[in-house]
Structure formats: structure tokens, C-alpha cells
Amino acid sequence: MTLGIGIIGLGVMGADHAETLASCISGAHIAAVTDLDSERRAGAAERHRARGQATADDLIADPTVDAVIIASHDSAHAAQVEQCIRQGKPVLCEKPLAPSAEECLRLRDMEADLGLERPLVSVGFMRRFHEPYRQLRETLRSGDLGRLVLLHEVHRNVRAYPGTSASSIVTNSAIHEIDITAWLLDSPIVEASWHAPRLPDSPSDWHAPQLIHLRTAAGTLASVEVSVDYRAGYYVHCEVVGENGSARMAQPPAAHLTSNLKESTRLAPDWRPVFADAYRRELQEWTDSIAADRSTTLASADDALDAALVAEAVLASMNNEGVPTPVRRPELANTRATKGTNSDVK
Ligand code: ISE
């Protein structure tokens, strides 16, 4: 009997997870789906021969649902994760776990108070499963670069999503760099500062691109460029500079076009084709770990809380003239794992 998965939210990511589950994840099937849009819900239920549940709570309570994927709007994540914890159902929540660190702390403590041997909550920081990042992390761990001094990170989206704001660019987009920086360096981020160009008559109030500086406990400085309306094409880049050399992550293979005396490669329209394999690996590892009743290498509620705390320091700097701002961590009485201690990604 394969694992019954329930999917909450059938927008861009929920629909993508459904297709990945249906087409290339072994040992799991889609048992139920739900979405606020009844037509979208009915269409997905029919397409995947799954039960269409009217609400998230109905889906979580569905006895044929063994585990839940949350791909609803960020603002709905916390309540739905809480319901999964109450029902004792493993849940993979798309990032961010919740828009605020306070909500992440509450969920983290709620799960920790259950005293379970293995966490119920996983969070969709899928870049940890992206082969180029994994190779970069192995290179950093080899010691070949010597002490790591700088990271240059670029994250350019082609177009903004509805409701984009200067702060959601941090909590919804740059949150990936916040997580992957500490994961790559095996060192928590302790200080953040926020910057942006100040061109006259800037076309947007998102301050795009934003420039975020993250300093880790080991002293390494990461520079993160993030934007949501970079029309030229979706692009994510990371280069690490050490005292003995540097390493930059490989770009996904792309066809070289030659025409009209020009040579070019095609950029992706959004993140899905770039990270398709990472999402597949993440989903397979998540379902395998549940079926085998073992711990998983996916990001945890602790990791999501840490990323949210760093994001809050970035936002505090944004609202305070870009002043470098320390990351304030509460007494983490229940911390199970510190950043970067996850066993290697498969
Ligand atoms: C989106 O939610 C993602 O997770 C993508 O990976 C990221 O590139 C994009 O900026 C986010 O809005």
C-alpha cells in the first residue's frame, strides 16, 4: 500500500507537486486535494483520481491521507501546519513555514512539546536538494578553498507574484538564500543588513533589486542580490570565495542557440524548470523517510525558525537605514538540530 498524500493549495507549487508526485515519485499516491477555488479543486481531483476535499481541515482529517503537502498562500501555512501537528500527520510545508518568526517559534515549540522521536514538520527549502548546491557544499567541506571569506549570491525572478512587497521579497524569495547560506557554510547567520539602489523615479516600491549582507558566526560575509521583476530571465547563482581559491555553482545545462550572428542560451521563465530535479529529490526523500519511519534530511521547523529570525533582522535593517542588525535568537530550549547538521542529502 503506497503512502496517501494530501495536497493543500493547487496554485503554481501545489499543481507542480501534484504532477511530480503523479509522474515520478515511487511509493506514494495523491489521495486528496483541496483548494479555495472549487473548479481548480475539482479539476485536480479528476486529473489525479483523488478525493476533492472542501477544506484543508477536511483533507488533514481524511483517513486516506497519511501525509500532507501545504502549498497554500503563505498566510495560511501556520494554521494548516498546526492542524497537521494536532492530527499527528507528517507535513511538508512550502517555505516560508510562516511569515513571522513568532509563528514559526510557536509551531516549532508545539511540535517539540510532543516529544516525538522524529519531527512531523518538514519545510520546502528545496535548494538543499539541488545538485549544484550539493556539489558546492562538498567542495567547501573538502577544505580546498581554505577559510571561506565571501559568498556572492544572485536570485532574479522574472515577474512579481500578486501581493509582492519590499518585505515579502525578503520573507518569500531571499528566504532561500538565507537558508542555503547557513547550510552551505555550516555556520549560523548572526548579523544582517539591507540595501537598495536609490535611483530617482524608481518604477517600483519593492526597491528591486535588493542587496542583503549576511554575516555568519564564522565571520564569512554573504552578499545577496534579490529581485522579482528582472524581465530578462530567471537566474540563480552562488560563488564562494576562500583564502585559497573560489568555487561557483554550475548552471543547469541549456541549449546554445546560434542565429543572426549571435550565440545565446535560453533562460528559464521561472524557478520550476531550474529546480525540477531538486523538487523531485526532496519529495522522494520526504515520502521515503515517512514510509521507513526514519528521520529525514529535509529542512526542519528549527531551520525554518532560524531563517525567519534572520529575515526579521533583514527587515529591521530595511526599516532602519540599512544598519547592520544582529539576529536575535530566543533561548532554543527544544532545538533538536543546529544548522547544517543534517546528514548529507541523498
Ligand atoms: C518562490 O516562492 C520560490 O520558492 C522560488 O524558488 C523563488 O525563486 C521565488 O522567488 C519565490 O517567490
Side-chain angles (χ1 to χ4, degrees):
M1 183 65 183
T2 61
L3 212 59
I5 305 296
I7 302 177
I8 301 174
L10 297 160
V12 168
M13 274 320 308
D16 207 55
H17 285 321
E19 293 302 326
T20 304
L21 268 167
S23 60
C24 50
I25 300 298
S26 60
H29 66 277
I30 303 172
V33 294
T34 190
D35 191 279
L36 295 174
D37 180 323
S38 57
E39 282 185 24
R40 198 150 72 174
R41 179 175 69 229
E46 182 183 357
R47 176 175 172 75
H48 298 296
R49 292 195 295 281
R51 209 192 311 275
Q53 289 290 3
T55 69
D57 284 355
D58 293 341
L59 180 140
I60 296 166
D62 185 329
T64 68
V65 171
D66 302 309
V68 179
I69 292 175
I70 295 175
S72 48
H73 189 273
D74 297 0
S75 59
H77 288 185
Q80 291 162 2
V81 170
E82 178 172 349
Q83 193 57 18
C84 290
I85 295 172
R86 291 190 189 288
Q87 301 260 344
K89 294 205 175 174
V91 52
L92 169 51
C93 180
E94 267 302 326
K95 35 55 63 186
L97 178 62
S100 76
E102 183 183 1
E103 287 174 295
C104 290
L105 179 61
R106 183 176 63 78
L107 294 169
R108 196 286 309 266
D109 286 349
M110 184 181 177
E111 180 195 50
D113 289 347
L114 295 178
L116 299 174
E117 194 175 331
R118 272 172 290 287
L120 285 175
V121 179
S122 296
V123 181
F125 285 117
M126 85 303 183
R127 294 196 186 174
R128 296 172 174 217
F129 292 84
H130 186 52
E131 185 63 21
Y133 275 118
R134 290 177 61 233
Q135 289 170 359
L136 197 51
R137 191 185 199 206
E138 289 319 305
T139 303
L140 303 187
R141 286 181 160 187
S142 71
D144 290 351
L145 302 186
R147 293 191 304 174
L148 307 176
V149 288
L150 274 179
L151 261 75
H152 300 289
E153 299 177 88
V154 174
H155 178 178
R156 296 172 179 157
N157 289 283
V158 175
R159 61 178 55 79
Y161 38 82
T164 294
S165 64
S167 54
S168 74
I169 291 173
V170 177
T171 58
N172 186 285
S173 296
I175 201 80
H176 279 297
E177 275 74 22
I178 290 172
D179 174 70
I180 208 73
T181 297
W183 182 82
L184 279 171
L185 299 176
D186 283 345
S187 175
I189 295 165
V190 295
E191 181 188 88
S193 63
W194 180 92
H195 314 274
R198 290 198 185 124
L199 304 183
D201 310 324
S202 167
S204 78
D205 64 1
W206 306 324
H207 306 293
Q210 298 185 10
L211 189 62
I212 295 166
H213 290 166
L214 305 171
R215 192 181 300 279
T216 72
T220 308
L221 180 64
S223 160
V224 177
E225 173 204 325
V226 57
S227 60
V228 292
D229 49 1
Y230 180 75
R231 293 280 182 267
Y234 186 81
Y235 180 66
V236 168
H237 171 71
C238 179
E239 177 182 16
V240 183
V241 182
E243 288 178 320
N244 303 338
S246 66
R248 64 174 182 273
M249 84 178 207
Q251 288 298 325
H256 274 259
L257 314 177
T258 305
S259 67
N260 301 325
L261 302 180
K262 284 191 296 183
E263 186 175 29
S264 62
T265 55
R266 194 176 298 283
L267 291 177
D270 67 36
W271 66 91
R272 286 170 293 173
V274 174
F275 295 112
D277 195 44
Y279 281 118
R280 184 192 58 73
R281 287 168 183 258
E282 181 185 58
L283 279 179
Q284 191 66 66
E285 161 57 18
W286 180 61
T287 53
D288 286 353
S289 67
I290 296 167
D293 192 20
R294 62 166 171 78
S295 59
T296 177
T297 55
L298 273 77
S300 65
D302 275 321
D303 295 317
L305 168 60
D306 209 65
L309 290 166
V310 173
E312 292 204 337
V314 174
L315 295 178
S317 176
M318 177 194 287
N319 295 316
N320 188 18
E321 299 298 316
V323 168
T325 305
V327 178
R328 301 198 185 289
R329 289 183 171 86
E331 268 310 300
L332 300 186
N334 296 313
T335 300
R336 264 191 308 282
T338 52
K339 179 65 65 183
T341 54
N342 275 346
S343 57
D344 277 335
V345 167
K346 272 190 170 178

